[in-house]
Amino acid sequence: MGEMLNVSSNPHVRDKMTTSRIMRLVLIALLPASLFGVWNFGLRALAVILVTVASSVFFEWLYNKLMHKETTIGDFSAAVTGLLLALNMPAGIPLWIPVLGSAFAIIVVKQLFGVLGQNFMNPALAARCFLLISFAGKMTDFTVSESFHGAVDAVSGATPLASLKANGITDSSVSVFHMFFGDIQGTIGETSVIAILIGASILLAFKVIDLRIPLTYIGSFGVFVILYMLFSGMGFNMDYLFTHLFGGGLMLGAWFMATDYVTTPITKKGQLVYGCCLGVLTAVFRLFGGAAEGVSYAIIFCNILVPQIERFTRPKAFGKGGQKIMKSSIVKDTVAITIITLVSGLALGVVQDITADPIKKQELLAKQKAYEAVFETADSFEPVYEGENKDLESFLDENGYGMQNIDEVMLAKGAEGEAIGYAFTITTAEGYGGDIRFAMGIQEDGTVNGISILSISETAGLGMKADTEEFKEQFREKKTEKFTYTKTGAKEEGEIDALSGATITTNAMTNGVNAGLCAFQYVKGGASK
């Protein structure tokens, strides 16, 4: 008979840190940011939090019930998803939108991909991006009707980061001190850096997270912003740097969402690469994109990259051949990506070449129609200035319109060939969603004849109202040296009513029109002025 073998259980390592315990600690760590959000924005914020958490838990229970699965609401993961989603929404959001977001987060992102541990991106952030795309106006409207202490401006809907993007470092509304403590506009849980850091210290103390991903994320982002300041000619500015660090949900994302166990690399090298990717992408989205923030999109994009990051950062297997296999795989992937890039580039080049002329013709037609709209009585238009004009640019800059550009000046002529005014094509770089380009007509006596939007990409339902007749008519048939906007009802000839929840867009359009008036004075005075 053979030798008798003694069979025993595996030497498993036991740990008290269960999933439910981790989730409870995360909920506790999010309490400071949640409580401050309620204090900052009022009971409306509390309602959003309660509705979002309750609906997340309900949808998890409902899905398990319908699929005849064991209920998993006891692990508190659904409650964490709901709370994170709530903290990433404005306090004034209609309550049915958080319910829809909770359904998307729990059912679509979490449950359909195999429940907790199988989701390929952070459910709360995936739901937030879904809501941003679907209801951009509501998700970026930070106007609130009440505040316990009254520090938040209930009229203006702009966050400090959005104001910084639109107006630069000279915007007096951007206060690093207030951003650190949190009595500013923003989503419910992103405004107070100190509250977020208190919660982060709880996670660190109980070893739920470590410093690797958050510090790599924040550090790489900060380095990118510094390099941008130096190479763009702006020069180093501490307020600009800290406004970016403290604004736009960076701290909330770095400590509470970028550290999600399921959607982050498990290797140490991979976590460092992951953090750097997050920092660089967030900076690129913010500095070069149309939106003011970029944390949500950066995190879910990097979530998708996690399998590849782990693949290239996993420890090499013992024995020979492992390194060769890895190198061979890298070479194949590189060749495949290069071929795909070349083919795609060639295809795009061909398409661009085919469509270039039709697009140019359409642009010229749109411009001609805009001129006719701002000067209905004109029989023809004769170019005065086209393209770059250094003297005109200097004149605008001297008068405080360095963010505006006069692309074209046309002399409007009547049926007898007489001059009846000027039509301007103006681009203002102060829009919330990027450049706004419009045509503007000014009569010979300086009266504004009208404006017509050529291109605009502001927030739907808010800034996009700048392209409505109701807003544009406020400038029509008015003669003034300079327009101003008010939030309390226009009373003077040169006053217009600001767009509700879109102060940045209103400011951009007002400055653009004023730049046109300034250019009109330059044209009438001659190039020597």
Side-chain angles (χ1 to χ4, degrees):
M1 293 183 63
E3 184 179 353
M4 299 293 291
L5 298 177
N6 181 31
V7 179
S8 63
S9 62
N10 294 326
H12 295 298
V13 177
R14 297 184 179 275
D15 196 321
K16 294 181 180 180
M17 193 61 78
T18 61
T19 299
S20 59
R21 178 175 167 81
I22 291 173
M23 295 301 168
R24 286 198 299 270
L25 288 171
V26 173
L27 288 172
I28 293 171
L30 286 171
L31 279 179
S34 303
L35 294 174
F36 187 90
V38 174
W39 179 75
N40 197 31
F41 297 111
L43 292 175
R44 194 67 176 72
L46 179 61
V48 172
I49 292 173
L50 293 177
V51 168
T52 314
V53 172
S55 57
S56 294
V57 174
F58 168 76
F59 285 121
E60 176 134 330
W61 171 84
L62 180 64
Y63 183 88
N64 288 332
K65 192 75 172 177
L66 294 175
M67 296 295 108
H68 305 290
K69 293 183 177 181
E70 182 181 354
T71 182
T72 54
I73 60 174
D75 63 12
F76 296 98
S77 62
V80 169
T81 297
L83 184 55
L84 283 173
L85 178 58
L87 296 182
N88 276 281
M89 288 191 289
I93 195 85
L95 294 181
W96 61 267
I97 292 181
V99 175
L100 180 61
S102 298
F104 185 86
I106 298 299
I107 297 176
V108 177
V109 183
K110 182 181 177 182
Q111 295 292 347
L112 293 183
F113 284 90
V115 304
L116 182 65
Q118 304 298 321
N119 47 278
F120 67 102
M121 63 175 61
N122 186 290
L125 283 185
R128 182 177 190 241
C129 291
F130 163 71
L131 295 177
L132 276 171
I133 294 170
S134 304
F135 311 102
K138 299 294 184 183
M139 289 292 289
T140 54
D141 182 5
F142 299 103
T143 304
V144 289
S145 59
E146 62 168 320
S147 176
F148 280 1
H149 63 297
V152 174
D153 179 6
V155 178
S156 173
T159 64
L161 193 63
S163 298
L164 181 71
K165 184 175 181 66
N167 305 313
I169 58 178
T170 58
D171 184 7
S172 60
S173 68
V174 178
S175 169
V176 173
F177 176 82
H178 286 294
M179 291 182 74
F180 184 76
F181 286 98
D183 51 346
I184 57 171
Q185 292 285 15
T187 63
I188 295 171
E190 76 175 12
T191 61
S192 176
V193 174
I194 191 170
I196 293 169
L197 291 179
I198 291 171
S201 65
I202 295 173
L203 297 182
L204 291 169
F206 286 92
K207 298 181 179 181
V208 175
I209 64 171
D210 59 34
L211 294 170
R212 194 174 293 108
I213 291 176
L215 291 191
T216 308
Y217 184 0
I218 297 169
S220 59
F221 174 81
V223 169
F224 195 105
V225 173
I226 291 172
L227 292 175
Y228 172 79
M229 288 191 290
L230 298 178
F231 284 100
S232 66
M234 179 191 305
F236 182 78
N237 185 286
M238 190 68 75
D239 285 344
Y240 185 87
L241 174 63
F242 278 99
T243 299
H244 273 292
L245 289 174
F246 293 166
L250 179 68
M251 290 296 169
L252 184 65
W255 293 103
F256 286 95
M257 289 173 286
T259 54
D260 175 30
Y261 287 176
V262 181
T263 55
T264 55
I266 59 174
T267 62
K268 292 183 178 180
K269 289 182 180 179
Q271 291 172 0
L272 296 176
V273 172
Y274 177 74
C276 288
C277 288
L278 286 170
V280 171
L281 277 178
T282 302
V284 169
F285 290 157
R286 278 193 187 180
L287 299 174
F288 303 105
E293 69 124 348
V295 173
S296 300
Y297 291 109
I299 292 179
I300 64 171
F301 185 82
C302 287
N303 288 163
I304 299 172
L305 294 179
V306 166
Q308 292 302 319
I309 293 175
E310 288 183 334
R311 179 184 177 189
F312 292 112
T313 58
R314 65 188 178 193
K316 293 183 177 65
F318 289 108
K320 297 180 179 180
Q323 190 170 0
K324 292 181 180 179
I325 293 172
M326 179 64 74
K327 287 182 177 179
S328 175
S329 177
I330 293 174
V331 170
K332 289 180 181 178
D333 289 343
T334 302
V335 171
I337 292 172
T338 303
I339 292 173
I340 292 171
T341 303
L342 290 174
V343 172
S344 300
L346 180 62
L348 288 173
V350 172
V351 172
Q352 183 181 20
D353 187 58
I354 295 173
T355 58
D357 287 339
I359 290 174
K360 188 175 182 179
K361 289 179 181 178
Q362 284 298 116
E363 290 177 349
L364 291 173
L365 181 61
K367 191 187 298 183
Q368 182 66 25
K369 288 183 177 179
Y371 286 152
E372 292 172 358
V374 298
F375 252 115
E376 296 175 354
T377 58
D379 188 69
S380 62
F381 295 93
E382 179 182 300
V384 178
Y385 297 116
E386 290 182 289
E388 187 177 12
N389 186 310
K390 292 293 184 182
D391 292 335
L392 179 54
E393 288 178 9
S394 298
F395 185 74
L396 290 174
D397 194 50
E398 290 169 5
N399 285 274
Y401 300 110
M403 297 291 286
Q404 284 71 37
N405 187 64
I406 306 300
D407 304 321
E408 192 174 66
V409 180
M410 304 289 284
L411 176 63
K413 293 185 174 182
E416 302 296 327
E418 75 281 10
I420 60 173
Y422 293 87
F424 300 84
T425 303
I426 304 166
T427 299
T428 174
E430 296 183 303
Y432 181 80
D435 291 350
I436 302 174
R437 195 162 181 252
F438 62 95
M440 175 182 177
I442 303 179
Q443 299 171 21
E444 277 289 314
D445 65 350
T447 302
V448 176
N449 209 53
I451 60 175
S452 178
I453 303 292
L454 289 167
S455 64
I456 184 170
S457 56
E458 300 297 273
T459 304
L462 295 173
M464 287 301 291
K465 290 181 179 178
D467 198 16
T468 61
E469 290 303 319
E470 181 182 0
F471 178 77
K472 292 184 291 186
E473 280 293 319
Q474 295 185 90
F475 298 97
R476 187 176 176 87
E477 297 299 330
K478 289 186 177 179
K479 184 179 179 180
T480 180
E481 292 184 2
K482 186 177 182 179
F483 283 95
T484 58
Y485 61 88
T486 178
K487 302 171 183 177
T488 56
K491 299 178 180 67
E492 305 294 332
E493 174 72 6
E495 279 188 336
I496 65 164
D497 291 320
L499 293 169
S500 178
T503 307
I504 293 176
T505 307
T506 305
N507 182 69
M509 288 300 301
T510 305
N511 286 341
V513 171
N514 287 336
L517 292 172
C518 187
F520 173 75
Q521 295 300 323
Y522 173 87
V523 173
K524 294 292 286 184
S528 62
K529 185 168 181 177

